[in-house]
Structures are given as C-alpha cells and as structure tokens.
Amino acid sequence: MNPIKSAWTILKVWAYDHSKFHKRLYDDAGICPGDIHSLADIRNVPKVEKSMMRDIQNKDPFPYGDGLCVPLKEVSTFRQTSGTTGQPVYQPDTWQDWEWWSECWAFILWAQGYRPKDRVFLPFGYNIFVAFWAGHYAAEKLGCEVVPGGVLDTQARILKIQELSATAMMATPTYILRMAEVAKHKMGIHPASLSIDKITCAGEPGAGIPATKKRMEEAFGAKVYDHSGATEIGAWSYECSHQPLGMHVNEAMFLVEIEDVETGEIIEEAGKQGKMVITALDRMAQPCIRFDSKDVIEWDKNPCTCGRSFRLIRGGVIGRADDITKVKGVLLSPAAIEEVVRSFDGLGDEYEVVVDRPGDMNRRALKRERLIWVSKSETEGRLRDQLRLKTNLGYGIEFFGYGSLPRYKLKAKRFKDLRKKHSLHREEGI
Ligand SMILES: [Zn+2]
C-alpha cells in the first residue's frame, strides 16, 4: 500500500473521529473518511485556513478549542505563532508530537552535516515561540552537544561561542547578520575567526536569497543552510549540504500540494509558482490537514545531486501569498528587493522598504544604511537601475548613517505597506 495514502487515511479518520472542528468541516463539505480512496480524492477535502484556527481557540477545551484531538491532560507543550500576520494561533502538542517534531528536525540537521562531534550553539530566547526548540532536541537526538544560548545578550553569546569553540548554530538570517555586526564593530572579533562551520537558518527567507546567504557565509566563513517550518505545520523542508539552490520537502512526513493562486488547480509541473497546501502525516493533538499555508513555492525540475529522492522546491520559499502585493499593477515580492539590496558591497545589512500612497500616487522608498566609504551618488544610481531591472518598478532611495535603522532579533519587519493604513484612515475619516 502507498505509505502516504496509508498515513493519510489514518490521520483523516483520526481527525474526523476525535475533533468536532474537523467533523463539522467535512460534514459541511459532504465528505467523510470513507470517500478517500486515492491521492486524487484528497483534493476534495476542505482546506484549513489560519483564521479558522483563530476562530475556534479560546473555546472549550480552553485555550485550544474543538480542533483538539486528544484529552487536554495529554497535552505536554504549549506554543504559539509569532502573530506577524494577526492574532497568534495556539498549538498544543503531546509528548508523541514532540518526538515527531524532533524527528522532523533530525532529518534537517543530518542532511546539513550535523554529526555527534558537533557542539551546537543556540542563540535564541527559549520562549513560547517554537523557533529552534525542536532543533535543540533533534541535535541532542543525533548525539551532538547542545549549548542553549537562552537569555544571554549578543556579546555574551559570541564570547561563549568563542570560549567553547562551537561548530554550528541555528538562528534567523536577521540575527546571524546582527551577530556578525556586533562581533566586528563592537567587539573587534572577526566572526570568521570563530569555529562555526555551519549555520541553520529559519523563520525568514534570507538563507534562500543568494545575496543574503553570501553575506552570512562570508561573515562567518561557514556554510549557511535554509530550512522552512511553521508552528502549526512542523519542520517540513530543508536545504541539504549540496546547497541545490532550493529545499527538499520531507515527503516521509508531509504531503505537499501546490495550488494555483488564480484557478485553485493543483500544479504538478516544475517551474510554476503557487501557494502551498500541506498535510503533516503524523501530527496527532492538533492535526495539520490541507493547511493553506500561503507560502509561495514551485517544484524544481531537477533531482538533487545529493541522491535524496525527496523532491526539491526551487529557491526555497519564494514569498508569502499575503506579502506579494500589487504596486501599479506589478506584482512585487519583498524577497526580490532583498536579493538586489544585499548584493551591494559597502552598504550595511539593514534596509527598509516603504510603499506609500500620498495623494493618488504609489510611492516606493528604499531606506538603506551606508558604510562611510561608499560613493552615494554612484551607488544610488546602480541600486535604482538594478531594482528597476529586477522588480519593474522605480524607487526613491534614501541613505542613512550606520546604526540608525532598527535592529531585529527574530523576524524583521523591513517591508512596510502604508497604503492600506491610509485608505483605512480615509474610511474612518481620520
Ligand atoms: Zn539534496
């Protein structure tokens, strides 16, 4: 029997029988577990949106609502989403789910060359966000030695990495660049002199953006690997040590479908972008079945040179369907802007993009920090040309002194679309 079909059937029956939320969803759609006979039938199963998870939570059983498939007393871990796109979603996991999380991450770390001899430093605040928690447990599971960087500040973390000769770390791209900046400019330590030889990134698309990846790799003299996961899904994809300019989907543990944003059709062919609809095959307490992730991805037409048969998504997660916005009728992805702005030498790592609408005009401004040796007019011209070439839009560019733009520890907010705010204010008569 097809293992995916088998796992799917078990999970589907499980959710239908144990959760009022899923039963309601399927009954309303006129589908029941007995209707699922093939992979094609899965496409008739209704999708779950993040907003639906928000709607049921805080109801009985508190605080998760009736999407919960196990008795409340079996829940061993609480996490919540970061809330960057709205009210956070709460995620219950049993101990069995937590072992599953670690297994997902063990796939990632092994593929990226983590071995028992590694000493892994985790420079993140251990808290209610899932972030690198499962990475911690997976590294232990592989036999690595794990150093939890917890509440240490950035300088203390760098000193600890130096003292212990840590060989690997996991953080967001924003924080990796922040650490490099602090080491270099505040501590007089060149990050490449540390013993870090591999870095696993998550939380933001930076490690999949070639210019940002190059900045991180050059700063630390280390290999930087991308990974994508989410609190309500799990750790579903990863870049392997062959760095194939994309990520493998962990098809042993997840079923990934790509849906055409316009037509809703499932995309099978390579090279065509759509949003990901994903199912976690073994998650029990709060199952993830046909979750509408809004991540924009596309299949790669080539297999990876590493020999893994798990399919590749080209360029990793390209963006979020929510983030890709229309400006003057042109589709604009923040990742496309980042690829251009981070490819310029002599500029700082921080930038900000503002899309505004003063009067009836869309205005796009790029704010960028300048290191002192850069020729402003020459750089400004080249930046403007490259941005127009890659995004088909013009920009006003402002340069700021080093250190004047905001710094972020986890997910950065560098793309600001003020147009909705203005129209909202107009509607409210403010
Ligand atoms: Zn590979």
Side-chain angles (χ1 to χ4, degrees):
M1 178 181 259
N2 182 323
I4 289 182
K5 186 180 168 191
S6 165
W8 165 263
T9 306
I10 292 165
L11 186 53
K12 175 75 172 54
V13 174
W14 169 262
Y16 190 86
D17 286 352
H18 293 86
S19 144
K20 286 181 189 162
F21 164 72
H22 285 97
K23 186 169 188 310
R24 216 164 41 233
L25 192 66
Y26 302 147
D27 286 348
D28 288 351
I31 190 166
C32 69
D35 297 332
I36 308 295
H37 301 291
S38 68
L39 278 169
D41 292 335
I42 289 167
R43 288 164 192 167
N44 300 323
V45 173
K47 287 177 289 186
V48 173
E49 304 255 352
K50 200 168 193 168
S51 59
M52 295 157 94
M53 303 309 293
R54 288 195 191 105
D55 289 346
I56 56 169
Q57 70 188 17
N58 284 320
K59 293 176 186 157
D60 200 38
F62 178 82
Y64 305 111
D66 57 12
L68 188 67
C69 286
V70 297
L72 198 54
K73 66 181 181 185
E74 290 183 22
V75 174
S76 62
T77 313
F78 169 92
R79 298 277 182 260
Q80 68 175 53
T81 60
S82 59
T84 41
T85 55
Q87 167 73 22
V89 171
Y90 300 151
Q91 181 68 44
D93 281 312
T94 62
W95 182 246
Q96 182 185 336
D97 287 327
W98 198 242
E99 288 189 328
W100 168 84
W101 257 112
S102 307
E103 187 67 15
C104 294
W105 264 90
F107 270 88
I108 299 166
L109 299 182
W110 186 264
Q112 296 174 352
Y114 286 68
R115 295 294 181 270
K117 64 177 170 42
D118 279 307
R119 180 170 290 146
V120 184
F121 190 87
L122 279 104
F124 90 99
Y126 289 70
N127 56 26
I128 50 176
F129 306 126
V130 77
F132 297 94
W133 272 103
H136 175 128
Y137 285 95
E140 287 184 352
K141 186 171 181 169
L142 292 182
C144 304
E145 180 184 343
V146 177
V147 186
V151 296
L152 301 178
D153 66 17
T154 301
Q155 295 196 33
R157 285 168 172 168
I158 291 162
L159 289 174
K160 194 50 84 179
I161 288 170
Q162 189 178 47
E163 178 201 341
L164 297 176
S165 300
T167 58
M169 63 177 175
M170 308 175 199
T172 60
T174 291
Y175 193 61
I176 293 294
L177 290 171
R178 172 82 182 132
M179 286 177 87
E181 183 181 73
V182 169
K184 213 168 2 181
H185 298 293
K186 287 197 175 162
M187 303 170 75
I189 296 173
H190 198 290
S193 72
L194 301 170
S195 44
I196 297 288
D197 62 28
K198 50 189 162 297
I199 297 169
T200 302
C201 288
E204 296 171 330
I209 297 172
T212 304
K213 187 201 241 342
K214 185 165 173 263
R215 278 194 175 230
M216 290 189 280
E217 292 199 326
E218 285 179 356
F220 281 90
K223 290 282 185 191
V224 170
Y225 301 114
D226 199 6
H227 143 64
S228 189
T231 314
E232 60 278 48
I233 299 169
W236 60 274
S237 69
Y238 55 87
E239 185 177 5
C240 67
S241 59
H242 282 228
Q243 295 186 305
L245 300 176
M247 292 195 292
H248 287 281
V249 170
N250 182 343
E251 294 180 289
M253 302 173 83
F254 297 89
L255 174 66
V256 164
E257 303 166 80
I258 304 179
E259 187 183 280
D260 188 300
V261 178
E262 304 276 321
T263 66
E265 295 291 313
I266 298 298
I267 298 168
E268 303 285 3
E269 66 267 41
K272 197 172 169 201
Q273 292 183 4
K275 62 176 180 173
M276 179 175 76
V277 176
I278 187 165
T279 299
L281 300 172
D282 308 284
R283 200 166 189 179
M284 306 307 274
Q286 187 162 281
C288 166
I289 302 175
R290 300 208 81 218
F291 182 71
D292 187 354
S293 74
K294 315 274 191 230
D295 284 332
V296 177
I297 58 173
E298 67 178 65
W299 295 118
D300 198 321
K301 66 178 190 305
N302 298 314
C304 186
T305 53
C306 75
R308 282 178 179 79
S309 57
F310 290 169
R311 280 181 291 177
L312 285 175
I313 50 170
R314 196 160 76 116
V317 174
I318 298 157
R320 303 245 330 140
D322 292 343
D323 288 346
I324 294 178
T325 179
K326 265 195 178 172
V327 180
K328 291 176 78 177
V330 175
L331 284 177
L332 176 64
S333 155
I337 296 173
E338 179 163 328
E339 169 61 16
V340 173
V341 300
R342 286 266 172 81
S343 66
F344 275 69
D345 290 333
L347 294 174
D349 292 320
E350 284 305 331
Y351 69 94
E352 205 170 277
V353 180
V354 182
V355 182
D356 203 354
R357 197 202 304 268
D360 288 327
M361 290 283 287
N362 280 335
R363 184 177 67 186
R364 295 157 303 286
L366 172 72
K367 299 178 178 180
R368 191 70 207 270
E369 283 185 1
R370 186 161 60 109
L371 299 175
I372 48 172
W373 59 84
V374 168
S375 154
K376 187 180 164 190
S377 56
E378 192 260 345
T379 308
E380 190 176 333
R382 281 198 299 129
L383 249 180
R384 188 173 285 118
D385 290 347
Q386 282 297 311
L387 283 166
R388 181 173 285 285
L389 193 69
K390 295 284 168 60
T391 68
N392 293 314
L393 289 165
Y395 298 79
I397 296 173
E398 289 177 76
F399 286 102
F400 290 80
Y402 175 76
S404 52
L405 289 176
R407 263 56 179 168
Y408 302 91
K409 276 198 169 179
L410 271 173
K411 295 187 184 190
K413 289 174 186 153
R414 300 193 180 95
F415 189 84
K416 295 180 178 165
D417 190 344
L418 304 180
R419 294 172 300 173
K420 287 173 196 154
K421 208 166 159 186
H422 284 307
S423 55
L424 187 68
H425 283 186
R426 276 202 290 275
E427 280 162 21
E428 290 169 351
I430 294 169

